[in-house]
Amino acid sequence: MLDVRGLQKIYEGRERRVEAVRDLTFSLDAGELACLVGPSGCGKTTLLKCVAGLLAPTSGEVLLDGRAVTGPPPGMAVVFQEYGRSLFPWMSVHDNVELPLRQKKLPRARRRELVHEALASVGLADAHRAYPWQLSGGMQQRVAIARAVAYEPNVLLMDEPFAAVDAQTRADLEDLIRDLWHKLRVTILFVTHDIDEAVYLGQRVLILSSSPTVVQEQLTIDLPDERDQLHTRADPRFTSLRTHVYEQIQAAKRNAGAPAGGSRDTEVPGDARPGLDRTPA
Ligand code: ADP
Ligand code: MG
């Protein structure tokens, strides 16, 4: 459904030329939940902006359902890291969530229905009339998620959406994302610098190298689909996957500047689990 091919982005300044990403190639199937991890400054936000059609790549292309993305595609929603700047402070929570639905020109009754469902799904059914500045950071981020969900996107991009919330809220929001994904079957590309979060959330983890950025590895997360904070994180398989991702990122830092060998598709061999057929890479 989503194809990123040979994506390169160079920011050209007057004095400075920054190659934010060098050569990124990967694709997402419809309905997939993939996480993208990489060190800070490796170009994750740049990549998302290119995928969202907010930034033109220097070379390479992004295809959505086979069509090149040249501007914000209909059916795509983005949740940014800075929720504080992504909600309009003069609009109530209800109006913030409703805004994109007005732009979609949905009839009033349908808008009302979608806003109610979305706010209920993020646990904010009582907050319609509140203003963003009256809410905690975690609640504001839930409003931003509700706005994205109400829009009924086919593709949801999330850029380190939980980086600024406390650990407990973050755990709740992670579970919320998996719930919503199960319910809506939307395709999600979730960017994070947090290795545990990537392994906990994803069906697949794409590991980016540090600059010059390439896709270092694509790892299948063979944890059971039913995940919960206590059991999944205590699962030995979770530990071996996170260790693997950690080692890959460390290796990527050591190899920074080395020529790209192309991304590898990997499965981590490890503990034998009955009923799981695993082929070592
Ligand atoms: P990440 O999200 O992984 O932290 P970014 O995509 O924000 O990384 O940035 C990647 C690189 O591109 C960094 O070196 C950053 O300084 C640079 N960069 C990002 N945006 C711009 C811009 N608008 N102009 C120039 N350089 C930029
Ligand atoms: Mg970023």
Side-chain angles (χ1 to χ4, degrees), residues 104-125:
K104 234 180 172 180
K105 304 220 175 347
L106 293 180
R108 194 191 158 117
R110 179 66 183 144
R111 294 199 309 258
R112 174 189 290 266
E113 194 177 22
L114 285 168
V115 172
H116 277 261
E117 280 172 15
L119 283 171
S121 73
V122 300
L124 288 177

Side-chain angles (χ1 to χ4, degrees), residues 19 29 37 41 58 74 77 91 110 155 178 184 191 193 205 207 212 216 219:
E19 186 184 33
D29 290 335
V37 269
T58 305
M91 284 186 187
R110 179 66 183 144
V155 183
R178 284 200 51 98
L184 307 172
V191 167
H193 63 263
V205 172
I207 305 170
Q216 165 108 355
L219 179 69

Side-chain angles (χ1 to χ4, degrees), residues 2-163:
L2 177 69
D3 257 311
V4 176
R5 294 189 189 159
L7 190 87
Q8 182 194 35
K9 177 65 190 179
I10 299 172
Y11 292 105
E12 300 274 8
R14 240 184 278 167
E15 305 274 299
R16 232 161 65 101
R17 183 180 177 276
V18 180
E19 186 184 33
V21 295
R22 170 160 292 182
D23 183 6
L24 298 181
T25 299
F26 63 89
S27 51
L28 258 62
D29 290 335
E32 195 180 356
L33 200 181
C35 292
L36 197 108
V37 269
S40 154
C42 78
K44 300 182 296 296
T45 298
T46 300
L47 165 67
L48 273 204
K49 284 181 178 166
C50 290
V51 172
L54 300 170
L55 198 61
T58 305
S59 63
E61 58 181 354
V62 177
L63 301 174
L64 189 63
D65 287 324
R67 274 188 299 273
V69 170
T70 51
M76 187 182 277
V78 190
V79 177
F80 293 101
Q81 175 172 354
E82 293 173 336
Y83 49 80
R85 285 204 270 161
S86 75
L87 301 175
F88 294 111
W90 62 88
M91 284 186 187
S92 68
V93 163
H94 180 101
D95 293 353
N96 266 285
V97 176
E98 190 187 25
L99 187 63
L101 309 182
R102 286 174 178 270
Q103 283 157 353
K104 234 180 172 180
K105 304 220 175 347
L106 293 180
R108 194 191 158 117
R110 179 66 183 144
R111 294 199 309 258
R112 174 189 290 266
E113 194 177 22
L114 285 168
V115 172
H116 277 261
E117 280 172 15
L119 283 171
S121 73
V122 300
L124 288 177
D126 298 333
H128 284 258
R129 293 282 138 241
Y131 285 85
W133 44 269
Q134 295 174 315
L135 307 176
S136 69
M139 289 165 90
Q140 289 179 38
Q141 192 54 294
R142 279 189 277 159
V143 176
I145 294 168
R147 184 174 56 186
V149 165
Y151 187 69
E152 299 185 300
N154 307 320
V155 183
L156 177 57
L157 307 178
M158 305 188 92
D159 190 7
E160 307 205 33
F162 311 146

Side-chain angles (χ1 to χ4, degrees), residues 186-221:
V186 54
T187 309
I188 302 182
L189 182 58
F190 188 102
V191 167
T192 178
H193 63 263
D194 186 311
I195 295 166
D196 290 57
E197 182 165 84
V199 173
Y200 182 73
L201 283 179
Q203 294 178 297
R204 199 147 60 96
V205 172
L206 312 179
I207 305 170
L208 297 189
S209 69
S210 42
S211 185
T213 309
V214 297
V215 180
Q216 165 108 355
E217 187 179 302
Q218 309 200 24
L219 179 69
T220 304
I221 302 300

